[in-house]
Amino acid sequence: MRKSVLEKDVISQLHQKSIEIPVIGITGGKGGVGKSTTAVNIAEAFLQTGHKVSLVDADVDSPDDHTLLNIPLNNPRDVAITQPLFNDSNCTRCRKCVDVCRINALFQPKNSIPILISDCNGCEACFLVCPSDAIERGEKIVGKTYMTEMGNLRLFTGELIPGVEESAFVVNALKDRAFNEVDDSDIIIIDTSPGTHCNVINALRGSDEAYAVTEPTPLGVHDLELILKLLRILQIKANIILNRSDLPGVKGKMRSIAKAYNAEISSEIPMDDLLVKSYVEGAPVIRMYPEAKSSKEIRKLSQKIAARHLQ
């Protein structure tokens, strides 16, 4: 299938990567399937084998990796976007800034300067078209990033301010910070938000491969296909982690979808009471109950990832 020039350009940008450390995306089309729990336990498995790990919690609407690890959020840093401030003395009332604003955030009363009437997404188009340098740069805080260091683990967390829509800016700021501060990490694990929206795309950008966490249910099948379609578009190698794998259901359909998208089912993690117990107690199951069925499967999976990227 032929790709448009725009699509080729987008894919090229998505694969830009400025570091040599392996980047592994943990993602999924459906919420509630254990994506973050899996990401945290994979990180713990690498820590137990002596590796230095950077875990990036890019689910900025609801970051919870720090809760699952029972560690604080440290070293906060504001994420701000540009907001236009209008200079009355320079403004010629030309309306070019109002006309170029695609989200209609600007309004210009008759014989007056423009005013900001709704949330601005910081695109800065108004600055580019203003012929009289009548717009100055203000700021709006839309979220925060954090970096918590515990032994060989560096946890990078992004958090969107409730009620703010510009979550993509927080994801991008988080990844910029993480990629600039990973130092001597051996591997970077990125825990994305569920779904196939822009934040997931931004989080996965630059990944060497991605693991889609799902479960053998009809909704799991539906959303697995969506995320595999996205990974195919992004040209990121796709793998599947089948969580709660011993649920009676549609495992055959899962295997058919995996084959259709040339994706490997890399791990099947069974239902495990000890995994639930560790979740409630706020610690990775692989640390609390190393002999649990789920711990053994996660350890095998981490060994597969290490064989591909850490040899």
Side-chain angles (χ1 to χ4, degrees):
M1 182 176 64
R2 295 182 61 188
K3 293 183 175 65
S4 67
V5 173
L6 176 61
E7 186 178 0
K8 288 178 180 177
D9 183 61
V10 168
I11 290 174
S12 175
Q13 292 181 42
L14 290 170
H15 278 273
Q16 289 179 2
K17 180 179 168 186
S18 58
I19 57 175
E20 297 302 321
I21 302 170
V23 179
I24 308 300
I26 307 297
T27 189
K30 180 179 178 297
V33 295
K35 174 183 57 61
S36 293
T37 301
T38 303
V40 164
N41 276 282
I42 290 173
E44 177 68 20
F46 279 111
L47 291 171
Q48 290 184 5
T49 54
H51 291 99
K52 295 182 178 180
V53 180
S54 285
L55 175 60
V56 182
D57 189 352
D59 187 357
V60 301
D61 291 290
S62 184
D64 57 12
D65 288 4
H66 66 288
T67 302
L68 298 173
L69 289 163
N70 195 26
I71 61 176
L73 294 177
N74 294 336
N75 303 302
R77 184 180 298 172
D78 287 337
V79 179
I81 63 172
T82 304
Q83 300 285 274
L85 301 175
F86 297 93
N87 186 320
D88 193 357
S89 60
N90 288 358
C91 181
T92 63
R93 279 68 169 170
C94 69
R95 289 187 54 86
K96 289 185 178 181
C97 58
V98 177
D99 294 337
V100 79
C101 182
R102 297 182 63 183
I103 62 171
N104 300 314
L106 298 177
F107 172 72
Q108 186 170 347
K110 186 176 181 180
N111 300 321
S112 180
I113 64 171
I115 57 176
L116 190 63
I117 60 171
S118 64
D119 286 341
C120 169
N121 65 7
C123 75
E124 301 194 10
C126 54
F127 294 90
L128 298 175
V129 300
C130 179
S132 56
D133 293 325
I135 308 177
E136 299 173 359
R137 281 175 168 76
E139 281 190 348
K140 179 176 77 171
I141 305 299
V142 296
K144 292 182 181 294
T145 64
Y146 303 87
M147 193 282 287
T148 302
E149 192 166 11
M150 302 287 285
N152 282 341
L153 173 68
R154 284 194 167 201
L155 174 64
F156 295 90
T157 304
E159 184 176 46
L160 182 71
I161 292 176
V164 173
E165 296 182 359
E166 290 82 6
S167 53
F169 287 90
V170 181
V171 173
N172 291 336
L174 173 67
K175 287 193 66 181
D176 286 344
R177 181 175 185 178
F179 278 35
N180 285 322
E181 297 182 15
V182 290
D183 290 343
D184 57 348
S185 293
D186 297 313
I187 191 166
I188 300 171
I189 298 171
I190 298 180
D191 180 15
T192 80
S193 57
T196 55
H197 47 83
C198 292
N199 284 353
V200 176
I201 294 172
N202 290 339
L204 288 171
R205 181 181 61 192
S207 295
D208 293 290
E209 62 177 343
Y211 289 78
V213 182
T214 188
E215 60 186 10
T217 64
L219 284 177
V221 167
H222 175 269
D223 292 339
L224 173 63
E225 188 161 15
L226 292 178
I227 194 67
L228 292 180
K229 285 180 180 178
L230 176 63
L231 293 171
R232 174 178 284 181
I233 291 170
L234 301 183
Q235 298 180 1
I236 296 174
K237 176 177 170 52
N239 308 276
I240 299 168
I241 298 172
L242 189 57
N243 202 13
R244 306 180 184 113
S245 60
D246 46 357
L247 282 174
V250 289
K251 287 178 69 172
K253 182 65 173 176
M254 288 283 184
R255 298 188 190 284
S256 296
I257 292 174
K259 184 176 181 180
Y261 286 88
N262 196 28
E264 174 190 351
I265 298 180
S266 299
S267 181
E268 297 188 22
I269 303 173
M271 294 281 287
D272 189 345
D273 290 343
L274 292 178
L275 176 59
V276 177
K277 186 176 181 181
S278 69
Y279 178 87
V280 172
E281 295 177 0
V285 66
I286 197 169
R287 182 195 306 164
M288 288 197 69
Y289 305 105
E291 296 305 314
K293 292 182 292 183
S294 54
S295 296
K296 292 178 180 179
E297 285 300 317
I298 291 166
R299 198 174 293 112
K300 289 178 184 177
L301 175 59
S302 70
Q303 290 168 355
K304 287 183 180 180
I305 298 173
R308 290 176 179 171
H309 299 285
L310 298 180
Q311 299 300 317

